[in-house]
Amino acid sequence: MNGPRSREIVQKLWNASKSLQGGGVTYFEYVTELTYLLFLKMLEEVSRSGRKLEEGVPQDCRWGSIKSRVGDDRLTHYRAVLLKLGTSPDVRSPLVKQVFQDAKTSITKPTSLTSLITTIDDIDWYAAEEDGLGDLYEGLLEKTTSERKSKAGQYFTPRALIDCLVRLMKPEPGEIIQDPAAGTGGFLIAAHRRVLNLTDDLTTLGAGAAFFQRNSALQGCELITGTHRLCTMNMLLHGIDTPIQPYDTLSSEAEDLDPADLVLTNPPFNKFPESVFRTDFSITADQRKGPLPFVEHIVRALKHGGRAAVVVPDNVLFEDNTGRRLRTWLMDLCNLHTILRLPTGIFYAQGVKTNVLFLQRGKTDRSNTQAVWVYDMRANMPAFGKTRPLTVADFVGFETAYGTDPNGGAERTEQGEDGRWRMFSRDAIAARNDNLDIAWLRDTEAEAEEALTEPEDIAAAIIGHLKAALEEIEALSEELEPDIVEEAATVAEAAE
């Protein structure tokens, strides 16, 4: 987030959440509630600056209409507004309908609604617009994800990691950039921001190219309704006029996405009870939805010569059977030139071990990977958590080693067995049965976790290790008895 004034506004809005927590309103529900109200307020503010977005909202549903009422009448009217904006044919803006689809309020007291409206109305919106309304909203989302932790395999990507991957992959004007698991839109917005910087806010582009950048360049899917709502709001406030679709990437819906020049994504880490339904899949067809099918989607989504950076859990690197077939297929079709072993604790669950795969789709579909470079950012690292968040500075060593070519073609220097940066030939990987879980430095994760002091971080570490252990048991059981695993997954989903 850019300016100190925006940070002050975010803190002010966040402090207002305390008044609702006594009524059982969660952080996520609070930010969703703020999304409804801030959306209407920001439409009013943005319309004053020339973007006539408020014209798509009926008069009796605008910010001023809600603000003009008091007491029980205000709360009753607010509930009616949420319903109307999501369903009425009078709402001409598809963006508005996406934000308010299935919207309902968690507020039960008129005084709580009045408190929120007063807080929002007291904001210095001139200062907020100078710093960027999108950055203000992103600040709220970051607050939410740090409090919400993770659920159902959704691990929200740290901003420092997003910015690192965008710097390395270098999105360009005119490219189709896709995120098939978009979350709140972090990757797409960061990519868009780089394009804005390259084109002086699109002013150096022709009218057609600028229109493409706002309306067609950024594509993807987000299935979870609440998260999709936040994504739509976030992208709209960053000047992106066509948000991503509420599609299931692992169903036939996603087959309509355009071939991508660049994929940036952090798919769900968990497996789900439902099966994949994609007519174009071969490796993971009929498998349970999870990270492996997302990897197949990414390879198929890329144009020949297209590139990708994708966050995956460790089991994608070593899982046998379907996992091994997928890795072999991927290394044939793509040049998997780099793997970054990420530290634990950065996804709000200490035991979750993750990596970034950097790859380029080949011009042909044979023998594209000749060597894989691995950077170990996991061993001998601090215990990341609330008191020690991931920062841009943590990626300096990796970015230097990676080089300036997005496709890994820059000159690289091996650091040997005592260093973090090593190269492994395709033959060496084949000798490992295409197991890409390659580590050579002493693992200091347990020592780092002993340094944790925050109760939230300690609890996250315990939960993360339990989840990792359960996933290993599940993988073993899946080989022995698929029906048992499906039943256990259904029970686990119900428990969440």
Side-chain angles (χ1 to χ4, degrees), residues 249-269:
T249 299
L250 302 180
S251 75
S252 58
E253 292 176 318
E255 294 178 30
D256 293 335
L257 294 172
D258 294 326
D261 297 283
L262 171 61
V263 175
L264 295 164
T265 190
N266 172 20
F269 296 166

Side-chain angles (χ1 to χ4, degrees), residues 424-465:
F424 298 86
S425 71
R426 181 70 184 88
D427 288 341
I429 292 169
R432 296 169 49 89
N433 292 318
D434 288 344
N435 183 324
L436 294 169
D437 186 27
I438 304 171
W440 59 95
L441 296 173
R442 187 171 72 89
D443 189 357
T444 57
E445 177 191 353
E447 295 174 15
E449 286 186 4
E450 289 174 4
L452 294 172
T453 57
E454 287 288 317
E456 293 177 52
D457 290 336
I458 294 170
I462 294 170
I463 293 170
H465 286 301

Side-chain angles (χ1 to χ4, degrees), residues 187-240:
F187 275 120
L188 295 175
I189 289 166
H192 182 66
R193 186 179 290 122
R194 182 180 190 273
V195 171
L196 291 179
N197 291 337
L198 291 174
T199 60
D200 193 17
D201 290 340
L202 307 185
T203 58
T204 61
L205 299 177
F211 180 86
F212 170 84
Q213 208 62 46
R214 289 195 184 94
N215 293 274
S216 303
L218 305 175
Q219 299 184 12
C221 309
E222 175 50 50
L223 178 61
I224 307 301
T225 300
T227 307
H228 180 261
R229 190 191 323 279
L230 302 181
C231 180
T232 300
M233 172 78 159
N234 201 14
M235 294 181 73
L236 178 65
L237 292 175
H238 280 89
I240 302 164

